[in-house]
Amino acid sequence: MTAKGFSISELNPPQREAVEYGPGPLLVLAGAGSGKTRVITYRIAHLISHHNLAPAAIIAVTFTNKAAGEMRDRIKQILGNVIAKQIWIGTFHALCLRILKKEIPYEFTIYDEEESKRLLKECQRELNIDEKQLKVVQLGYRIEGSKHELIGPDEYEKTAVDFTSRQVAKVYHLYQKKLVRNKAYDFGDLIMSTVRLFQEQPELHKKYRDQFKYVLVDEYQDINHCQYFWIRQLAGEQGNLTVVGDDDQSIYQFRGADLRNILEFERDYPKAKVIKLEQNYRSTQNILAAAGAVVGNNSGRKAKTLWTENETGLPLQYFRGETEAEEAAFVVREILQDVYDKNIRRLTDCVILYRTNAQSRPFEDALRRERIPYRIVGGMKFYDRMEIKDILAYLKVIMNPADELSLDRIVNTPPRGIGAGTISKVRKIASEQGSTMLEAMAGMAQDGQGLTDRARQAVTAFSNLMQGLKSRVSQTDLARYLATVITETGYLAMWQKAPHDEGASRLENLNELIKAADEFSRTGDNTLGGFLEQIALVSSWDEADSKDNDQVTLMTFHSAKGLEFPLVFMVGMEEGLFPHSNALQDEHGLAEERRLCYVGITRARERLILTGTATRSSFGNRIYNSESRFLHEIPGRLFMGQIPLCHQTAQQTADARGLWRGKQYQVSADTLSNEHNEHFSEDVCPDLDDELGLVVGQRVSHAKYGSGTIVGKQGVGEDLKLEVAFTRHGRKQMLARFAALQPTSGKSRAKGV
């Protein structure tokens, strides 16, 4: 069967092999830009068109709504909309939500990150836990991490051995009880609750196992233990499981991703077929060579060699400024040159990638000075804005009256005379009656129950308002209903009375929310519940690819995953910044930083520019920085113009030796130019040494800071500066002649140290 937009002949041999592979476990190792999305969608189409598989017997799991939407669109083009709708395609959270909605016999609310934090704070207050000693962010991180590992509050309590863990255990218990009472789930619950549901109800588990004959998982290198377990539940130990991923692009360890899942796939499924996709369709050969050279320094990876039929392309470019301002000015000059002088690119073709969000400021300043429009991916998102959260809280209470967290947010917003004392009385009566707070309010409106006349009037008005809005939830179209909620709650009038600039901005956002409801209703689902579910499942990175306006993009390396740009700037290429200092004491952390660098390099299609600074401001001081080791791992032949300092010194060393016809010759300090003496770096030219005998990789001890490792060097002689990563005190830079460092355990020559 050949469908529109679907021809196996379009694929290269490994892609075709993956698409046509029959039953059984299949691991597709898909390098960056190798066409993995096409392989997944074509495999789905092939299973339906050539194996007569029912569309509803296929479940395809992705990590972002954007990726799921792209997959569904491609299936529509191949097999048509009717078939595409029957296939279960979505994120882990969306698919588990779909199962829970089918199997749980009551309406429930999904709490986003902010709502979860508010509930955690409420738990802290009730348990008299000092928020200064145990921050809500720490609580959320530990509880979310536990859910990633399928550890509930009871199991967590058993492993709590210190004071902090025991405090977390108390909060975890109360937090889950409140979620149950509010008929709510947080994001971690969606997957874990589905796993538990299958464990507790074997017949239900069997129902879904029997339904899904083929399970396909994208970005398999990024799954956590809970997601891994759910996939195993669906596919079984010998099931028809296809996973697609790239261990070299595993960069979400901090979110719970476990690289072992993809590295040990063949252990989990001994009969698995492994197919490598190594042909890259995105980048030039020079860019791929740089990426391969960097990630090749990681051990324990599944070997892949990316190649392309694209042209060799431009060499990489490197710039090392003296300060952050110099670095930013250079980047902006290059953008201006390509976009306005040469007219060969648009602003949307350009992206500035950095390791931490704090690095964006100098680039923003430089772009603003040149009046170049830009956007920051990862800033305040639309659905995170206060006025949007407020209206969504109204909608959630309308859909689920048991949602006390949302009710707390809007009961006195705008102000309507319902104070904390009144709320406390309402909550107490609701608890005694076993009712919702809204039900308690309706009763109190009738008999008062200890309320003052003013409070009773306010409670009555609010109760009537919410009952009236709930009664009309299905009587009009979604956008019109949303406008009614915004108006009748008094929320619109509140912002109309606000100072012009702030009020106008809030009203514009409320208008956009109404537009979003209208656009959603055009999909065929005109329900408020469906609208709220769609919003709840929006991932922060799903907005990263929006290109409505011609503007430069600024984002972190993590945010850039899955995207591509013709011109990529990788800035801040310095030790301690990238790789980040937090990773330098941990082998796995450094390996992940290297994979992150690989991801950054492979975002570039045509041109890659790497930049850094010799000094960087830190709390009012200028700190000297050594170049990132990742620059040194890229072969010097791939650069044009200015090249990293080590490659300069290595080349001059080779030239000097050449004068002596290959004899071993130690280049003296006078042989090199003053410019190169100033930046001499032992860590990438290990055969050169200095008179003090201290080399990069050497373990040393300091009288004040204790033990550490030399990770960078600059200068020679009396001007020799050492950068030392101390175990307990972080990274320090010091003049070698004053540092009084003592070697402790010899010199380490392990790659990447």
Side-chain angles (χ1 to χ4, degrees):
M1 170 182 172
T2 301
K4 181 181 178 182
F6 177 47
S7 173
I8 294 293
S9 63
E10 299 174 0
L11 306 178
N12 63 41
Q15 289 176 332
R16 189 179 308 122
E17 184 181 9
V19 167
E20 295 181 322
Y21 185 73
L26 170 65
L27 168 61
V28 180
L29 288 172
S34 61
K36 68 180 180 63
T37 305
R38 171 178 283 194
V39 167
I40 295 173
T41 53
Y42 275 35
R43 178 158 173 76
I44 292 172
H46 190 268
L47 288 170
I48 294 171
S49 61
H50 286 70
H51 294 267
N52 296 318
L53 196 67
I58 298 174
I59 184 169
V61 192
T62 70
F63 268 84
T64 68
N65 294 306
K66 175 178 173 290
E70 181 180 350
M71 191 180 297
R72 189 175 296 280
D73 287 342
R74 292 197 184 191
I75 292 293
K76 284 181 186 177
Q77 294 174 5
I78 297 171
L79 299 177
N81 190 39
V82 174
I83 291 178
K85 279 187 174 181
Q86 298 176 56
I87 305 169
W88 283 52
I89 300 175
T91 65
F92 281 94
H93 294 101
L95 293 170
C96 286
L97 172 61
R98 184 172 174 180
I99 291 173
L100 292 174
K101 283 192 65 179
K102 286 171 67 74
E103 306 303 337
I104 293 180
Y106 55 81
E107 291 286 343
F108 54 84
T109 300
I110 306 166
Y111 281 177
D112 62 18
E113 185 177 353
E114 181 187 325
E115 290 162 330
S116 295
K117 285 181 180 178
R118 286 173 58 204
L119 191 61
L120 286 169
K121 285 183 179 179
E122 184 179 300
C123 293
Q124 278 184 292
R125 287 193 296 269
E126 291 186 20
L127 293 167
N128 295 316
I129 294 175
D130 190 347
E131 294 181 32
K132 294 180 180 178
Q133 291 184 349
L134 186 57
K135 297 185 182 300
V136 71
V137 173
Q138 294 174 290
L139 279 170
Y141 180 80
R142 291 204 181 198
I143 291 174
E144 181 183 32
S146 297
K147 292 182 178 182
H148 288 166
E149 295 297 321
L150 286 175
I151 298 173
D154 291 334
E155 297 95 327
Y156 187 91
E157 186 177 21
K158 292 175 184 177
T159 61
V161 294
D162 56 27
F163 175 78
T164 300
S165 296
R166 287 192 289 271
Q167 295 291 81
V168 172
K170 292 178 184 177
V171 175
Y172 194 180
H173 270 289
L174 184 57
Y175 175 70
Q176 287 302 118
K177 286 180 181 177
K178 285 181 175 289
L179 284 174
V180 172
R181 179 180 174 183
N182 291 357
K183 295 182 180 177
Y185 291 87
D186 66 14
F187 260 42
D189 284 325
L190 292 178
I191 304 174
M192 188 169 79
S193 295
T194 308
V195 169
R196 298 286 195 229
L197 196 65
F198 285 171
Q199 289 176 324
E200 294 164 2
Q201 301 184 34
E203 71 286 353
L204 189 66
H205 179 203
K206 183 177 184 302
K207 167 186 168 182
Y208 285 97
R209 278 278 301 275
D210 291 344
Q211 176 180 339
F212 299 124
K213 306 299 183 185
Y214 277 80
V215 180
L216 298 94
V217 186
D218 192 13
E219 303 289 5
Y220 193 71
Q221 77 279 350
D222 291 332
I223 67 171
N224 60 40
H225 177 69
C226 185
Q227 293 162 341
Y228 166 84
F229 199 92
W230 182 61
I231 291 299
R232 293 273 288 186
Q233 283 181 319
L234 288 179
E237 295 183 1
Q238 301 296 328
N240 300 324
L241 173 62
T242 298
V243 302
V244 183
D246 181 5
D247 55 305
D248 288 335
Q249 295 187 72
S250 177
I251 60 173
Y252 295 121
Q253 183 176 335
F254 66 96
R255 289 180 182 166
D258 191 342
L259 182 60
R260 292 174 300 176
N261 290 328
I262 191 168
L263 293 179
E264 298 176 2
F265 185 82
E266 293 147 279
R267 183 205 65 184
D268 291 339
Y269 301 93
K271 296 182 180 179
K273 173 74 173 178
V274 180
I275 298 173
K276 295 182 181 181
L277 304 183
E278 297 173 299
Q279 183 175 357
N280 178 281
Y281 293 91
R282 175 190 301 156
S283 306
T284 64
Q285 187 58 54
N286 277 338
I287 291 170
L288 296 182
V294 171
V295 80
N297 286 277
N298 275 350
S299 59
R301 57 185 286 266
K302 290 183 177 290
K304 295 177 293 296
T305 303
L306 288 182
W307 63 276
T308 184
E309 293 180 348
N310 296 337
E311 58 186 16
T312 302
L314 293 170
L316 277 61
Q317 193 171 346
Y318 175 63
F319 174 82
R320 180 176 169 87
E322 189 64 28
T323 65
E324 305 98 305
E326 240 184 70
E327 179 187 29
F330 167 80
V331 169
V332 172
R333 283 198 306 272
E334 290 295 316
I335 292 173
L336 287 170
Q337 186 177 43
D338 270 18
V339 175
Y340 297 115
D341 295 346
K342 296 180 180 179
N343 199 29
I344 58 175
R345 300 188 204 285
R346 301 177 66 221
L347 294 176
T348 50
D349 294 335
C350 311
V351 66
I352 301 171
L353 301 180
Y354 37 75
R355 179 62 180 83
T356 65
N357 280 306
Q359 293 171 250
S360 72
R361 194 270 309 161
F363 298 97
E364 292 186 67
D365 288 348
L367 290 165
R368 279 197 297 264
R369 279 194 295 271
E370 297 294 339
R371 299 185 179 231
I372 298 176
Y374 68 91
R375 63 175 183 145
I376 294 183
V377 174
M380 181 66 77
K381 302 299 183 184
F382 179 78
Y383 292 107
D384 292 334
R385 294 168 188 169
M386 181 188 69
E387 61 276 17
I388 304 303
K389 289 283 190 184
D390 288 344
I391 294 303
L392 291 179
Y394 273 106
L395 301 179
K396 288 177 180 180
V397 174
I398 290 168
M399 283 299 297
N400 177 15
D403 184 358
E404 292 184 6
L405 198 64
S406 295
L407 183 67
D408 283 343
R409 184 181 184 108
I410 51 93
V411 69
N412 205 39
T413 305
R416 48 175 60 93
I418 304 178
T422 302
I423 291 297
S424 179
K425 291 178 182 178
V426 172
R427 181 172 282 112
K428 180 181 178 183
I429 290 175
S431 178
E432 291 172 351
Q433 296 177 345
S435 64
T436 68
M437 287 179 66
L438 273 179
E439 289 170 341
M441 283 184 176
M444 295 169 79
Q446 297 296 322
D447 56 27
Q449 297 190 44
L451 296 179
T452 64
D453 288 341
R454 183 179 176 185
R456 181 177 179 181
Q457 289 175 3
V459 167
T460 300
F462 182 74
S463 177
N464 291 339
L465 168 68
M466 298 306 292
Q467 288 180 25
L469 290 173
K470 186 170 182 62
S471 67
R472 287 175 285 165
V473 70
S474 60
Q475 294 178 7
T476 183
D477 68 84
L478 189 57
R480 190 178 299 276
Y481 181 76
L482 191 54
T484 299
V485 172
I486 293 171
T487 303
E488 293 190 5
T489 56
Y491 202 79
L492 179 65
M494 180 180 72
W495 289 115
Q496 286 174 332
K497 296 173 185 175
H500 176 71
D501 288 345
E502 182 181 13
S505 175
R506 306 288 188 186
L507 293 174
E508 287 173 1
N509 289 333
L510 292 172
N511 189 50
E512 284 299 317
L513 184 62
I514 295 172
K515 288 182 183 178
D518 185 51
E519 292 171 3
F520 176 76
S521 64
R522 295 177 189 277
T523 65
D525 186 352
N526 196 38
T527 66
L528 178 57
F531 181 55
L532 290 174
E533 288 165 14
Q534 184 203 47
I535 292 172
L537 293 170
V538 170
S539 300
S540 60
W541 55 55
D542 284 343
E543 296 174 18
D545 206 27
S546 174
K547 296 184 179 179
D548 296 334
N549 300 310
D550 190 26
Q551 51 193 338
V552 176
T553 301
L554 288 78
M555 64 171 72
T556 64
F557 286 95
H558 283 100
S559 297
K561 177 80 181 301
L563 306 178
E564 58 182 73
F565 297 85
L567 172 56
V568 170
F569 295 90
M570 292 174 56
V571 303
M573 299 296 294
E574 302 144 38
E575 283 290 296
L577 199 52
F578 194 35
H580 197 276
S581 57
N582 291 347
L584 292 178
Q585 300 301 316
D586 175 54
E587 178 185 353
H588 298 296
L590 183 57
E592 180 150 335
E593 291 287 294
R594 189 172 277 114
R595 293 193 294 271
L596 191 58
C597 183
Y598 171 84
V599 167
I601 294 172
T602 54
R603 298 313 94 196
R605 293 209 305 259
E606 301 166 6
R607 189 179 180 202
L608 177 63
I609 300 177
L610 305 105
T611 69
T613 66
T615 67
R616 193 169 288 273
S617 178
S618 176
F619 298 99
N621 299 316
R622 300 302 305 180
I623 305 299
Y624 290 88
N625 298 319
S626 56
E627 291 177 325
S628 168
R629 71 189 66 203
F630 301 148
L631 290 169
H632 309 154
E633 292 171 354
I634 299 173
R637 62 180 172 78
L638 296 177
F639 289 95
M640 69 175 177
Q642 182 182 358
I643 61 176
L645 300 173
C646 172
H647 295 311
Q648 295 176 19
T649 53
Q651 182 59 50
Q652 293 193 345
T653 301
D655 292 344
R657 285 176 175 163
L659 296 173
W660 292 82
R661 304 190 183 193
K663 294 181 180 179
Q664 291 298 316
Y665 173 70
Q666 179 66 54
V667 181
S668 68
D670 294 334
T671 306
L672 302 177
S673 69
N674 289 334
E675 176 186 359
H676 293 153
N677 281 344
E678 181 183 355
H679 297 296
F680 181 77
S681 179
E682 155 65 27
D683 56 334
V684 291
C685 305
D687 55 330
L688 299 181
D689 211 338
D690 64 274
E691 59 269 35
L692 296 178
L694 295 172
V695 294
V696 169
Q698 175 72 58
R699 292 287 295 172
V700 293
S701 177
H702 186 271
K704 178 179 180 181
Y705 299 122
S707 62
T709 303
I710 299 175
V711 295
K713 295 173 64 176
Q714 288 180 330
V716 294
E718 292 189 351
D719 294 326
L720 176 64
K721 298 184 186 75
L722 297 175
E723 185 171 12
V724 183
F726 290 101
T727 304
R728 294 183 178 274
H729 295 275
R731 298 169 69 85
K732 305 289 181 183
Q733 295 202 358
M734 52 193 69
L735 284 170
R737 59 195 173 107
F738 295 133
L741 295 171
Q742 297 296 323
T744 58
S745 59
K747 171 181 169 187
S748 171
R749 279 300 177 205
K751 263 188 177 181
V753 172

